[in-house]
C-alpha cells in the first residue's frame, strides 16, 4: 500500500469526523477529550486533567476514542503513539496507524525505510510488538490473524497464529472466518477451500460459496447447486439442490432443480441434467441456468465454465464468446480463457477474432487467429474485416490494408476507404478519390470528388454536378447531371424533380429519366416504369417487355409469364407481349402460382387457370395461393383446405388453419390444436392445448399441462408425461423436463 494513498484516506476521515468532545466511561469515571489552543487532551468528569492539551489528537487513528486497558492513542507530528491515562508515554509517536482490535491488542503500521509502503503489525498495551511489521494488512480472528502480503505486485492472504506461525499458506485472494473454528479461502479461480483453525485443510474443494446455519452445519454451493456439510468437513448432502431452507437446527427443506432427461428418438434416456433451464448452443454443448447465473456444459454434463452475471453471445465447436459485465471474453471448449484479456468489443467470423479495448478513451484494435496468436503487429484505431484476403485498418487517422499475417499490403495513406468490391476499393487520397486494386495499384487515379465501386463492371465517379459511370480498363459508359444509385440488380437515375430513368447493372442506358415511378418487385427479374397512367416493363438485360401503349392504373409483378394489371378499377393479366390474356373483369386478383390465380368476384374468392377457366367457384371469404396442390380457404368464419379441383381435403370446420411448412398445416378449434399432414394425408383432429412442429417433422404436444412427442401419423414417440420438451437440433436428441420436488430432511 503506497503511503501517499494512506495519507489521503486518513486525511479524508479526519476532515469528516466531528471534534471529539464527548464522554466515555472508564470504571466509575467519565472521560472527556477536550481541546485548547488547537491541541487536545483528556480529563475526567470532575474536570481533572489526565493528559494536558498538547497533542494533535487523542484517541485512535480509526476515529474511535474508547480507552483500551487504561491506554489511549495520541498523535504528534502526524504519527501515533500509545499513552497511559495518567500521561505516561508507553511508545513514541512512530506509527502511521494505531487502533484497537477485537482481541484486546492494537493494530499498528509503520513505513519501510524508503517510506514508500506501510507495513502492519500487532502491539500489546505495553507497546510490545507481538506480530512483526511485515504485513500489507492484518485482522484479528480469535487468537489468530488473517494477514496479507504484497509481493510481486500481488496481494495474497493467509492465516497466522499469535506467535506468527503460518496456519493457512499465503496463496489466496481472500480468507474469511466462517465461525466455529472454520475458515474459507478463495483461490485465483474464485473457488473456496475450507480450513480448520489449526490449519487443517478439510476434504471439500472447489466450492462457490458457503454460509453457516448453526454451530455444526454449513450450506455449501458448488457449480450452482447446494449441499450441506458438518463442521468437520463431512458431507451431509451432496451439492445437488436448487434451494435449502433451514426450518430449524435439525430440519432442512430441500428443493431440487428440474430434471432434464436427454432422450433419443426411441424414448431411451441417455443422460439426466439438473438445472433451471437448458438450451443447446452447439454440437455437444449446452447453456444451462442456475441460481448463480449461466454456465456451459458438455453432453457428458461436465461444466466447462461457471460465471455469474454473464451471458453467451456466440458459440461454435471450439469457442464460447461471453459477455461479462459489459466486457467480452473468449473461452475454449474446456472452459479455460482462450484470449486472456477482457475486451470492450469483439467480433468472431469463424476464423479470426477482431478485438477492441478502450485505453485513455482511445480504441485499440487487434486481430487474433484461432490458435490464439496475435496477427496484427500493432494496435489500430479501427479495423474492418475484408473477407478472406485482407484486413482494412486505420492508424493515425489513415486507412490501409493488411494481410492475415499482419503484414502491410497497402500502406496507411488514405483519409477514407471503402470495402473491396470485386477486387476494387474506392479510396480518398490527399483530398481526392480514386480506385485501387488488391495490390494497391491505381485502377482509377485519385483526381475526383467522389468514387464508388458498384460492381466488377461499373465505377461511379462524381465531379461537381456531373456523375459518370465508367468500366475498369475500358472507359466511359454514361454521363449524367443527376443522381445515380444501385437498387437490387438495377441502376436508377433520379432527377431533382423526382423523375426516374433506368440503367442495367452494367451501366447501359435503358431509358431517359422521364418516368414518374419505378417499381422493382422482389423477384428482381423485371422492372416497371410509370409515366402518367401508362406503364413500361423491362427485363434484366434491359430489353423492353412491354411499352406504354396500354393505360393501366397499376401493374404487379411478373409471375409465371403473366403481369397483373388494373384497368377501369378491375383486375386482369397480360402476357410478356402486353397482350390481354385474362380480361380485367375481377374485383381483385393475386399472382399466378402453380398455374392458378385467386380472383375475387362479388365479394368472394375463387380460382382461374391461365385460359381463364373458373376452376374453383368464387364462394370463399378468403383463400391462399395454391402451394403443393392445396389452398387454405375460409367461409362464414370457418377454415378448411381444398385441392386443385376445389374438393375439400380438410372440411371447413376449423377456426384457423396455418401453414407451417410445405407438408404441415396446424388446425385450431377453440383452444385445441391438431394438424393436417399433406404427404401422409393424415388429419389429427384438434385435441391438444399446444402443438409445435419441430424441424425434424415431429410434433411437441401438450395436453392437461403435460408434454410429449408424436409423429406425422399421431403415434406417440415420447409419452405426454413431461413438463416441457426442448429439441436438441445439433445432436438430434430431446431434453425432457420434470419439475423439481420439495421434501424435508432431518439432520442427525
Amino acid at each position: 500500500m503506497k503511503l501517499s494513498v494512506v495519507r489521503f484516506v486518513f486525511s479524508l476521515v479526519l476532515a469528516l469526523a466531528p471534534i471529539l468532545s464527548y464522554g466515555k466511561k472508564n470504571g466509575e469515571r467519565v472521560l472527556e477529550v477536550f481541546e485548547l489552543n488547537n491541541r487536545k487532551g483528556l480529563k475526567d468528569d470532575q474536570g481533572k486533567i489526565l493528559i494536558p492539551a498538547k497533542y494533535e489528537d487523542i484517541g485512535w487513528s480509526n476515529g474511535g476514542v474508547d480507552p483500551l486497558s487504561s491506554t489511549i492513542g495520541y498523535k504528534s507530528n502526524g504519527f501515533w503513539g500509545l499513552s497511559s491515562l495518567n500521561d505516561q508515554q508507553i511508545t513514541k509517536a512512530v506509527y502511521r496507524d494505531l487502533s484497537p482490535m477485537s482481541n484486546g491488542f492494537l493494530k499498528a503500521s509503520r513505513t519501510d525505510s524508503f517510506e514508500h509502503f506501510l507495513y502492519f503489525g500487532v502491539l500489546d498495551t505495553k507497546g510490545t510488538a507481538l506480530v512483526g511489521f511485515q504485513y500489507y494488512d492484518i485482522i484479528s480472528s480469535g487468537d489468530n490473524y488473517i494477514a496479507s502480503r504484497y509481493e510481486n505486485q500481488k496481494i495474497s492472504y493467509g492465516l497466522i497464529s499469535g506467535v506468527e506461525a503460518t496456519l493457512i499458506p499465503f496463496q489466496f485472494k481472500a480468507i474469511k472466518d466462517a465461525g466455529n473454528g472454520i475458515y474459507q479461502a478463495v483461490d485465483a479461480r474464485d473457488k473456496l477451500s475450507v480450513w480448520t483453525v489449526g490449519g487443517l485443510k478439510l476434504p471439500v474443494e472447489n466450492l462457490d460459496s458457503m454460509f453457516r446455519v448453526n454451530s455444526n452445519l454449513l450450506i455449501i454451493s458448488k457449480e450452482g447447486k447446494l449441499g450441506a456439510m458438518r463442521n468437520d468437513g463431512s458431507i451431509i448432502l451432496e451439492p445437488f439442490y436448487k434451494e435449502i431452507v433451514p426450518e430449524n437446527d435439525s430440519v432442512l427443506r430441500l428443493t431440487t432443480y428440474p430434471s432434464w432427461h436427454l432422450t433419443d428418438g426411441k424414448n431411451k434416456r441417455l443422460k439426466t441434467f439438473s438445472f433451471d433451464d437448458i438450451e443447446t448452443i452447439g454440437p455437444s454443448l449446452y447453456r444451462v441456468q442456475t441460481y448463480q447465473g449461466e454456465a456451459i456444459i458438455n453432453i457428458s454434463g461436465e461444466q466447462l465454465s461457471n460465471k455469474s452475471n454473464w451471458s453467451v453471445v456466440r458459440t461454435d465447436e471450439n469457442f464460447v464468446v461471453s459477455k461479462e459485465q459489459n466486457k467480452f471474453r473468449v473461452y475454449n471448449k474446456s472452459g479455460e480463457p482462450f484470449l486472456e484479456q477482457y475486451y470492450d468489443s469483439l467480433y468472431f467470423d469463424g476464423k479470426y477474432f477482431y478485438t477492441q479495448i478502450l485505453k485513455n478513451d482511445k480504441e485499440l484494435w487487434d486481430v487474433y487467429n484461432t490458435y490464439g496468436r496475435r496477427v496484427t503487429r500493432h494496435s489500430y484505431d479501427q479495423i474492418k474485416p475484408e473477407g478472406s484476403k485482407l484486413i482494412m485498418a486505420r492508424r493515425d487517422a489513415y486507412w490501409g490494408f493488411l494481410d492475415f499475417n499482419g503484414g502491410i499490403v497497402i500502406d496507411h495513406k488514405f483519409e477514407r476507404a471503402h470495402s473491396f468490391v470485386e477486387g476494387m476499393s474506392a479510396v480518398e487520397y490527399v483530398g481526392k478519390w480514386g480506385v485501387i486494386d488488391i495490390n494497391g495499384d491505381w485502377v482509377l487515379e485519385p483526381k475526383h470528388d467522389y468514387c464508388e465501386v458498384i460492381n466488377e463492371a461499373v465505377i461511379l465517379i462524381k465531379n461537381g454536378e456531373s456523375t459518370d459511370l465508367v468500366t475498369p480498363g475500358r472507359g466511359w459508359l454514361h454521363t449524367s447531371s443527376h443522381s445515380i444509385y444501385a437498387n437490387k440488380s438495377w441502376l436508377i437515375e433520379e432527377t431533382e424533380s423526382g423523375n426516374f430513368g433506368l440503367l442495367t447493372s452494367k451501366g447501359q442506358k435503358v431509358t431517359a429519366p422521364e418516368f414518374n415511378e419505378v417499381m422493382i418487385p422482389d423477384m428482381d427479374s423485371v422492372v416497371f416504369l410509370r409515366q402518367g397512367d401508362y406503364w413500361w416493363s423491362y427485363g434484366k438485360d434491359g430489353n423492353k417487355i412491354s411499352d406504354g401503349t396500354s393505360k393501366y392504373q397499376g401493374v404487379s409483378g411478373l409471375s409465371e409469364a403473366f403481369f397483373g394489371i388494373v384497368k377501369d378499377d378491375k383486375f386482369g393479366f397480360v402476357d410478356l407481349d402486353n397482350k390481354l390474356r385474362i380480361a380485367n373483369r375481377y374485383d381483385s386478383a393475386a399472382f399466378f402460382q402453380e398455374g392458378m390465380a385467386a380472383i375475387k368476384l362479388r365479394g368472394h374468392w375463387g380460382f382461374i387457370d391461365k385460359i381463364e377457366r373458373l376452376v374453383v367457384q368464387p364462394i370463399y371469404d378468403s383463400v391462399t395461393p395454391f402451394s403443393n396442390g392445396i389452398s387454405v380457404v375460409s367461409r362464414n368464419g370457418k377454415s378448411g383446405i381444398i385441392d386443385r379441383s376445389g374438393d375439400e381435403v380438410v372440411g371447413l370446420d376449423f377456426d384457423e388453419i396455418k401453414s407451417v411448412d410445405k407438408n404441415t398445416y396446424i388446425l385450431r378449434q377453440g383452444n385445441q390444436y391438431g394438424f393436417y399432414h399433406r404427404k401422409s394425408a393424415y388429419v389429427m383432429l384438434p385435441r391438444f392445448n399446444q402443438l409445435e412442429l419441430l424441424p425434424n417433422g415431429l410434433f411437441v404436444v401438450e395436453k392437461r399441462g403435460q408434454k410429449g412427442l408424436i409423429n406425422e401419423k399421431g403415434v406417440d414417440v415420447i409419452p405426454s408425461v413431461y413438463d416441457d420438451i426442448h429439441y436438441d437440433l445439433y445432436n438430434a436428441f430431446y431434453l425432457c423436463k420434470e419439475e423439481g420436488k420439495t421434501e424435508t430432511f432431518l439432520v442427525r
Side-chain angles (χ1 to χ4, degrees):
M1 182 182 293
K2 291 188 176 180
L3 182 58
S4 59
V5 175
V6 174
R7 283 173 173 164
F8 172 78
V9 173
F10 183 64
S11 64
L12 181 62
V13 171
L14 289 179
L16 296 176
I19 296 175
L20 303 176
S21 58
Y22 43 86
K24 296 292 177 184
K25 287 190 176 180
N26 178 38
E28 297 299 322
R29 294 186 297 172
V30 176
L31 304 181
E32 182 181 335
V33 176
F34 70 97
E35 184 174 351
L36 182 65
N37 297 325
N38 292 323
R39 292 287 170 172
K40 293 180 182 179
L42 189 69
K43 63 183 179 180
D44 62 17
D45 55 346
Q46 303 299 317
K48 180 181 178 181
I49 294 177
L50 305 177
I51 300 176
K54 58 183 178 180
Y55 296 116
E56 296 168 21
D57 206 352
I58 291 287
W60 308 106
S61 61
N62 63 3
V65 294
D66 289 335
L68 178 66
S69 301
S70 298
T71 64
I72 198 164
Y74 69 92
K75 187 178 183 182
S76 178
N77 296 321
F79 290 84
W80 288 87
L82 186 64
S83 171
S84 69
L85 295 182
N86 58 6
D87 197 24
Q88 296 296 313
Q89 287 190 358
I90 299 172
T91 71
K92 294 181 179 179
V94 294
Y95 303 107
R96 288 292 187 183
D97 297 272
L98 186 66
S99 59
M101 305 177 81
S102 59
N103 61 359
F105 297 125
L106 294 159
K107 175 180 177 178
S109 70
R110 302 184 69 167
T111 59
D112 61 10
S113 56
F114 299 101
E115 295 198 0
H116 289 160
F117 293 91
L118 288 176
Y119 291 96
F120 285 86
V122 178
L123 307 176
D124 63 15
T125 53
K126 295 179 180 180
T128 303
L130 304 178
V131 175
F133 291 85
Q134 57 177 313
Y135 299 102
Y136 184 78
D137 198 7
I138 193 165
I139 301 170
S140 64
S141 177
D143 295 331
N144 301 320
Y145 299 94
I146 298 172
S148 59
R149 292 173 177 167
Y150 184 78
E151 296 173 333
N152 300 320
Q153 298 184 329
K154 182 181 177 182
I155 301 171
S156 58
Y157 286 82
L159 183 72
I160 61 174
S161 69
V163 293
E164 292 193 74
T166 299
L167 304 176
I168 299 177
F170 284 82
Q171 61 186 41
F172 296 100
K173 286 175 62 176
I175 291 178
K176 182 180 178 181
D177 188 344
N180 288 78
I182 295 293
Y183 291 87
Q184 59 186 41
V186 184
D187 65 17
R189 301 168 301 141
D190 291 325
K191 298 294 184 181
L192 307 184
S193 55
V194 185
W195 301 70
T196 68
V197 69
L200 175 66
K201 187 178 181 181
L202 298 180
V204 284
E205 293 188 273
N206 296 320
L207 300 180
D208 296 319
S209 63
M210 57 185 269
F211 68 91
R212 181 170 293 282
V213 176
N214 57 41
S215 60
N216 195 37
L217 180 64
L218 298 107
I219 304 298
I220 58 175
S221 170
K222 186 175 183 179
E223 295 184 352
K225 297 175 182 178
L226 299 175
M229 77 174 192
R230 294 187 179 88
N231 226 44
D232 61 4
S234 59
I235 298 296
I236 301 171
L237 294 168
E238 290 288 346
F240 175 74
Y241 298 92
K242 176 181 179 179
E243 188 176 61
I244 298 179
V245 179
E247 300 283 0
N248 52 50
D249 282 351
S250 59
V251 176
L252 302 176
R253 186 174 76 246
L254 313 177
T255 302
T256 62
Y257 278 102
S259 295
W260 294 88
H261 306 293
L262 189 67
T263 306
D264 65 14
K266 296 181 179 179
N267 196 29
K268 180 182 177 182
R269 290 184 181 179
L270 308 175
K271 184 79 177 177
T272 296
F273 307 114
S274 297
F275 298 101
D276 268 335
D277 200 7
I278 186 168
E279 175 190 1
T280 311
I281 57 174
S284 302
L285 282 178
Y286 301 91
R287 174 168 43 201
V288 297
Q289 186 76 37
T290 71
Y291 77 93
Q292 284 187 316
E294 291 184 347
I296 304 298
I297 65 170
N298 61 22
I299 202 165
S300 299
E302 299 168 327
Q303 197 164 105
L304 308 182
S305 61
N306 181 15
K307 297 281 184 180
S308 57
N309 196 22
W310 83 324
S311 60
V312 176
V313 295
R314 172 168 177 154
T315 62
D316 68 3
E317 293 185 11
N318 298 304
F319 301 104
V320 175
V321 179
S322 71
K323 189 174 185 180
E324 307 169 28
Q325 297 178 338
N326 293 320
K327 297 283 187 178
F328 294 89
R329 201 172 196 192
V330 182
Y331 296 86
N332 62 21
K333 286 179 66 175
S334 301
E336 301 165 340
F338 177 70
L339 300 179
E340 290 298 326
Q341 195 158 355
Y342 288 89
Y343 299 99
D344 294 290
S345 183
L346 187 145
Y347 168 69
F348 179 45
D349 64 4
K351 294 182 178 179
Y352 295 92
F353 296 93
Y354 302 85
T355 66
Q356 178 246 315
I357 61 172
L358 285 173
K359 189 173 183 180
N360 299 324
D361 294 328
K362 183 179 180 181
E363 293 185 7
L364 300 177
W365 284 87
D366 285 292
V367 180
Y368 293 83
N369 63 21
T370 52
Y371 298 101
R373 186 179 70 83
R374 181 184 175 191
V375 172
T376 43
R377 301 172 188 177
H378 309 280
S379 292
Y380 290 90
D381 304 334
Q382 193 173 350
I383 280 179
K384 294 180 181 178
E386 279 294 304
S388 60
K389 292 184 179 180
L390 296 177
I391 304 168
M392 190 161 80
R394 182 167 61 89
R395 191 177 186 199
D396 298 328
Y398 290 96
W399 289 94
F401 295 86
L402 318 174
D403 62 23
F404 280 94
N405 292 314
I408 297 175
V409 177
I410 302 173
D411 288 337
H412 298 275
K413 58 184 180 181
F414 305 114
E415 294 99 90
R416 287 184 287 177
H418 292 174
S419 296
F420 272 89
V421 176
E422 302 293 341
M424 297 180 289
S425 170
V427 295
E428 184 182 10
Y429 179 66
V430 195
K432 290 293 182 180
W433 283 82
V435 175
I436 58 172
D437 63 19
I438 58 173
N439 298 314
D441 296 327
W442 291 107
V443 176
L444 202 65
E445 291 186 0
K447 54 184 181 181
H448 306 284
D449 294 342
Y450 180 73
C451 288
E452 182 180 342
V453 179
I454 303 297
N455 53 48
E456 77 280 1
V458 179
I459 299 172
L460 182 147
I461 300 170
K462 287 188 177 181
N463 288 297
E465 299 297 324
S466 176
T467 300
D468 292 293
L469 299 180
V470 299
T471 188
R474 293 193 294 274
W476 174 88
L477 293 171
H478 181 73
T479 298
S480 174
S481 59
H482 310 304
S483 171
I484 297 177
Y485 54 88
N487 187 337
K488 297 182 180 177
S489 297
W490 301 89
L491 295 175
I492 307 299
E493 184 176 3
E494 183 178 356
T495 69
E496 289 186 3
S497 60
N499 285 335
F500 300 93
L502 187 67
L503 300 98
T504 68
S505 60
K506 295 182 179 180
Q508 297 167 335
K509 182 179 178 180
V510 178
T511 71
E514 55 190 17
F515 293 91
N516 308 119
E517 182 181 354
V518 58
M519 184 179 73
I520 305 176
D522 289 338
M523 61 193 71
D524 199 24
S525 59
V526 65
V527 61
F528 295 97
L529 295 165
R530 179 181 63 82
Q531 191 178 62
D533 293 331
Y534 294 89
W535 288 85
W536 281 253
S537 61
Y538 292 87
K540 238 179 182 179
D541 56 359
N543 63 304
K544 186 187 296 182
I545 297 175
S546 64
D547 59 21
T549 57
S550 298
K551 184 176 181 180
Y552 302 128
Q553 292 168 268
V555 296
S556 58
L558 176 66
S559 176
E560 298 186 1
F562 278 31
F563 295 109
I565 57 100
V566 182
K567 186 175 182 180
D568 301 327
D569 295 326
K570 293 294 181 179
F571 289 75
F573 293 88
V574 296
D575 63 16
L576 296 176
D577 296 321
N578 201 27
K579 293 179 180 179
L580 189 65
R581 299 297 298 271
I582 307 293
N584 53 307
R585 68 175 94 240
Y586 301 103
D587 300 330
S588 187
F591 291 131
F592 268 94
Q593 194 159 310
E594 297 186 0
M596 309 270 279
I599 51 88
K600 188 177 185 182
L601 269 176
R602 298 173 183 170
H604 292 88
W605 288 87
F607 286 91
I608 59 172
D609 63 14
K610 287 191 172 182
I611 57 176
E612 206 177 357
R613 289 182 300 189
L614 198 58
V615 180
V616 178
Q617 292 294 323
I619 59 173
Y620 299 106
D621 299 328
S622 67
V623 297
T624 64
F626 272 94
S627 176
N628 295 298
I630 58 178
S631 167
V632 177
V633 298
S634 69
R635 186 172 63 226
N636 299 326
K638 294 295 182 180
S639 297
I641 298 175
I642 61 171
D643 62 16
R644 291 173 56 87
S645 300
D647 296 330
E648 291 184 2
V649 176
V650 176
L652 278 79
D653 302 317
F654 303 97
D655 298 324
E656 183 182 15
I657 298 179
K658 184 182 295 185
S659 173
V660 289
D661 71 6
K662 65 180 181 179
N663 288 316
T664 310
Y665 293 78
I666 303 298
L667 315 177
R668 181 178 67 82
Q669 213 166 36
N671 294 321
Q672 300 287 297
Y673 295 86
F675 64 86
Y676 166 68
H677 193 266
R678 181 190 65 84
K679 198 168 184 180
S680 65
Y682 180 79
V683 177
M684 168 63 75
L685 293 176
R687 61 187 182 91
F688 300 107
N689 302 117
Q690 288 185 27
L691 188 146
E692 175 192 0
L693 176 67
L694 298 180
N696 63 356
L698 301 182
F699 298 87
V700 175
V701 294
E702 180 189 325
K703 192 170 182 66
R704 291 187 290 273
Q706 297 292 288
K707 290 187 177 183
L709 195 69
I710 62 175
N711 64 18
E712 76 279 3
K713 294 184 178 180
V715 178
D716 279 349
V717 177
I718 295 175
S720 296
V721 295
Y722 295 104
D723 297 296
D724 202 357
I725 294 180
H726 292 178
Y727 180 51
D728 179 352
L729 176 64
Y730 290 95
N731 307 297
F733 295 134
Y734 306 93
L735 291 156
C736 304
K737 178 184 181 183
E738 286 185 300
E739 287 290 0
K741 297 176 175 58
T742 299
E743 59 185 348
T744 57
F745 178 80
L746 181 63
V747 181
R748 293 184 172 85

